[in-house]
Amino acid sequence: MGIILLVGAIFLAYFNGANDNFKGVATVLGSGTAGYRRTLAWATVCTLAGSITAFFLASELLTNFSGKGLIDASLVRRIGFASAVAFGASLTVCFATRFGMPVSTTHALLGALIGAGISAGSSISLDKLGTSFLWPLLLSPLIAAGLTVLVYPVMRIARTRAGIGTETCLCIGNQVVETVCANDSSVSLSQAKQLSVTMGETVHCRQLYQGAIVGIDAQSMLNGLHFATSGVVSFARGLNDTPKIAALLLVGTALPGHYGIGIIGVAIAIGGLVSGRRVARTMSREITAMNHGQGLVANALTGLVVIGASRLGLPVSTTHVSCGALFGIGAINKQAHWKMIGRIIASWLLTLPFGGLMGAVAWECLRRIDT
């Protein structure tokens, strides 16, 4: 049973990486700051660093997601039950990843815990469920969206007063062509250029920043800060999510302590590298259009909320926080893709009951061989 539990935890960690790893750098790709491979490599390195740090800074999360206090203590000590939770949650995240939906592994784990617990005849502590799980999960995206709506206009005013302007370019293949906006919302080329556009080339607009801050080019500084904050978010995700999965390995003699954290961290990194493209496309392109400054603000606030929650032992969802920040950006710039946002929220509502169903099914399959 110990081997089954280890396999289930690794399976869950892999799909957690596939669904979550790109969320920290989605705005880097979505704003055109860097390409897919570069942003994915950065996300992987920073997430792995967060996973390694998790053991030292997030020990309370290990206790919370072992299930203690939420379900009967006798079940928490059973390897078969922990295995059912791992497989139930991993199947939930696997299905969501297959359809490109960014869902919460926290919600999937919670659903699997409850579903397997009810199937095993356990009572559920509603007080523990509310204070340690549901309230942080429900409030975190609202806090992220609210902070974004409040902070971004302040940052925009500060940028304007600092004399940092904007310019618009057309990107045609590998060519970047500066344009000038007219009063009738049309654009013209700022310089006479002979353009060559061939079939299959992508043409899109990009907004860049003009000016300097303490002698440093504003756009270069913004790009550097954007990468830094995306690294913070990816680090925070590894810090917050790794203990939730590693907690399953605390049962019995499966694989406790540093070894479990290490294996889970590596599995999360591999999952993001191999299977993360579909969720990456949803997060970076299909929620809202954004410029560099908007992406920077969303990332900075996401990292702040997630790291703060980790230090307090609150199991917030990085998915909900990062999506909440993007929802806020879409509301501000009026470029939100509300149909996709509706689909994402629907997938959040389905995660908990689907995770419960998968956890119950997994328990019924494993209880006969549990000792």
Side-chain angles (χ1 to χ4, degrees):
M1 286 303 298
I3 294 176
I4 293 175
L5 174 57
L6 179 60
V7 171
I10 292 174
F11 189 38
L12 174 58
Y14 178 91
F15 282 107
N16 171 267
N19 197 274
D20 279 24
N21 272 14
F22 205 84
K23 292 165 185 173
V25 296
T27 59
V28 176
L29 179 62
S31 63
T33 303
Y36 177 76
R37 292 184 178 179
R38 186 180 176 190
T39 52
L40 180 61
W42 178 239
T44 302
V45 170
C46 294
T47 300
L48 186 58
S51 297
I52 294 171
T53 309
F55 181 81
F56 303 99
L57 296 182
S59 57
E60 188 171 344
L61 282 173
L62 284 168
T63 302
N64 275 344
F65 272 86
S66 66
K68 292 180 179 178
L70 179 63
I71 60 174
D72 292 347
S74 59
L75 276 177
V76 173
R77 295 190 294 268
R78 297 181 65 171
I79 297 179
F81 180 80
S83 301
V85 172
F87 280 107
S90 60
L91 286 170
T92 303
V93 180
C94 174
F95 277 112
T97 303
R98 174 65 179 79
F99 292 102
M101 288 293 101
V103 299
S104 167
T105 301
T106 306
H107 256 168
L109 273 168
L110 180 57
L113 271 169
I114 294 173
I118 292 175
S119 181
S122 171
S123 59
I124 306 296
S125 172
L126 296 181
D127 289 340
K128 178 72 172 180
L129 180 63
T131 57
S132 294
F133 296 96
L134 289 184
W135 280 117
L137 291 172
L138 291 173
L139 293 177
S140 57
L142 297 178
I143 292 173
L147 285 175
T148 303
V149 170
L150 291 174
V151 171
Y152 178 69
V154 174
M155 299 299 294
R156 183 170 54 193
I157 293 171
R159 171 183 63 78
T160 303
R161 290 185 176 180
I164 306 301
T166 60
E167 63 181 4
T168 303
C169 301
L170 285 178
C171 301
I172 306 174
N174 293 323
Q175 302 179 75
V176 177
V177 184
E178 295 182 2
T179 62
V180 177
C181 295
N183 291 331
D184 60 356
S185 298
S186 64
V187 296
S188 60
L189 301 182
S190 61
Q191 305 176 37
K193 289 192 177 184
Q194 183 176 358
L195 299 178
S196 175
V197 182
T198 61
M199 183 70 71
E201 287 187 326
T202 300
V203 180
H204 62 277
C205 291
R206 184 171 67 184
Q207 188 182 72
L208 302 176
Y209 290 92
Q210 295 175 316
I213 302 175
V214 294
I216 303 174
D217 177 70
Q219 186 62 48
S220 298
M221 176 178 286
L222 186 67
N223 287 345
L225 289 173
H226 201 166
F227 262 96
T229 56
S230 68
V232 169
V233 175
S234 296
F235 178 89
R237 200 199 74 73
L239 179 69
N240 194 264
D241 280 6
T242 304
K244 300 171 188 175
I245 303 172
L248 297 169
L249 300 177
L250 294 178
V251 179
T253 58
L255 199 63
H258 296 81
Y259 295 104
I261 289 284
I263 290 176
I264 295 304
V266 170
I268 288 174
I270 294 174
L273 286 171
V274 176
S275 302
R277 187 175 290 270
R278 290 183 177 178
V279 174
R281 182 171 61 248
T282 299
M283 291 287 295
S284 61
R285 305 291 189 194
E286 299 181 15
I287 294 178
T288 182
M290 71 194 85
N291 61 31
H292 298 269
Q294 292 163 355
L296 171 61
V297 171
N299 264 339
L301 293 176
T302 298
L304 178 66
V305 172
V306 175
I307 289 179
S310 295
R311 294 293 295 137
L312 295 174
L314 300 176
V316 302
S317 165
T318 308
T319 302
H320 291 188
V321 175
S322 59
C323 285
L326 291 176
F327 297 167
I329 290 296
I332 290 173
N333 64 19
K334 296 180 173 58
Q335 297 187 69
H337 302 154
W338 293 111
K339 184 176 180 180
M340 174 55 70
I341 291 174
R343 291 176 60 191
I344 291 173
I345 293 175
S347 71
W348 291 356
L349 296 176
L350 290 173
T351 300
L352 190 66
F354 191 82
L357 176 61
M358 292 296 100
V361 170
W363 169 249
E364 291 302 319
C365 293
L366 291 173
R367 68 184 179 85
R368 295 176 178 83
I369 59 174
D370 180 41
T371 57

